[in-house]
Amino acid sequence: MRERGGGGHQQAQNLHAARVRQEFDLIKDVQVLTPTHKGSLGTKSLNEDLQRLIQKRLWNVSVPETQPGRRSPFLKHDKVIQTRNNYDLNVMNGGIGHVVDVLPNGTLLIDFEGVAVEIEKGSPNLQDIQLAYALTIHKTQGSEFPCAVVVVHKAHSFMHHRNLLYTGVTRARKTAIVLGDRWGIRNCAKKCQVDDRKTFLSILLNNVNCPEEQSACAGAQ
């Protein structure tokens, strides 16, 4: 595979294929986390390459190259995520599942943590299913995984801040692996996020605590 993202992309593949698979179940235990969807180190690109890598290494299945403008087909054993609440299927936004089988007619059989789901080929419900080998850090807030591989690279410097790194590594229940380039990791670790929030709270508190305002209000009554 071609190397992208200043080497970080190749590192993600190599690490996922070697060290991590010796200790964890690649599908159930390991979660790759990255700040964004777009770019060579975003979820879309990483999911396509990780699907190709894992399918070949574990089950000797060759995934065809994705055509421009189209997404990879779902295959047996794929890790997937539901991206919208679907009350008909009883699967909520953020639910992670695994493709149990793909029937000859194209129907997907997916297990969402004990909830069995069937999605026929051509169903609009397919639009709410995405590969989940790699997810955004934001998407996994509140979740935990035995092993989290956190991508921190200079390609995402516009999103870097300490809270992002903290959120990523604390998704790991047992092992957290920070993966990227030296500058990107250092920049993310030292950069603090400043929330410049403008509210009227201070004005309201001043009015409440001001005797003149209280007297004026009493006189008006």
Side-chain angles (χ1 to χ4, degrees), residues 206-208 210-218:
N206 287 334
N207 288 340
V208 169
C210 180
E212 292 80 3
E213 293 289 342
Q214 293 179 352
S215 300
C217 290

Side-chain angles (χ1 to χ4, degrees), residues 15-210:
L15 185 59
H16 209 283
R19 174 186 169 187
V20 173
R21 67 179 177 140
Q22 296 175 3
E23 303 179 32
F24 300 98
D25 184 311
L26 285 181
I27 304 298
K28 297 180 180 179
D29 297 338
V30 180
Q31 186 60 61
V32 175
L33 303 175
T34 186
T36 183
H37 291 293
K38 298 180 179 180
S40 61
L41 291 175
T43 58
K44 185 179 185 300
S45 181
L46 286 176
N47 272 321
E48 291 175 355
D49 285 335
L50 288 172
Q51 180 197 40
R52 190 174 298 112
L53 178 68
I54 292 173
Q55 286 285 347
K56 188 63 176 180
R57 292 288 180 89
L58 298 186
W59 298 287
N60 198 31
V61 174
S62 297
V63 180
E65 288 288 340
T66 305
Q67 298 300 317
R70 303 180 67 87
R71 64 179 184 174
S72 301
F74 296 112
L75 305 175
K76 184 177 180 180
H77 305 297
D78 271 341
K79 184 176 186 178
V80 296
I81 186 171
Q82 175 75 17
T83 61
R84 183 179 65 86
N85 290 340
N86 190 318
Y87 297 100
D88 293 331
L89 298 179
N90 195 29
V91 180
M92 300 297 105
N93 181 23
I96 294 178
H98 307 89
V99 179
V100 177
D101 202 0
V102 181
L103 302 183
N105 63 2
T107 296
L108 296 180
L109 305 182
I110 305 175
D111 177 15
F112 283 99
E113 298 180 342
V115 178
V117 170
E118 291 189 17
I119 303 179
E120 297 180 353
K121 182 178 181 180
S123 169
N125 291 327
L126 283 174
Q127 300 303 315
D128 302 326
I129 303 293
Q130 295 179 1
L131 291 174
Y133 297 108
L135 298 173
T136 63
I137 296 173
H138 174 75
K139 188 71 173 179
T140 59
Q141 290 187 75
S143 301
E144 283 188 338
F145 311 93
C147 176
V149 179
V150 185
V151 178
V152 183
H153 192 269
K154 61 184 178 183
H156 303 139
S157 61
F158 65 97
M159 297 185 67
H160 280 177
H161 56 82
R162 191 178 300 169
N163 290 345
L164 181 77
L165 179 58
Y166 174 82
T167 301
V169 298
T170 55
R171 297 314 91 203
R173 188 180 306 124
K174 182 179 179 182
T175 300
I177 300 171
V178 179
L179 183 63
D181 65 295
R182 183 175 300 178
W183 185 92
I185 295 173
R186 184 187 298 115
N187 182 64
C188 193
K190 73 179 183 180
K191 189 175 180 180
C192 295
Q193 182 182 36
V194 178
D195 292 329
D196 186 14
R197 299 178 181 178
K198 299 183 183 299
T199 70
F200 294 102
L201 182 59
S202 60
I203 298 175
L204 293 175
L205 290 175
N206 287 334
N207 288 340
V208 169
N209 295 325
C210 180

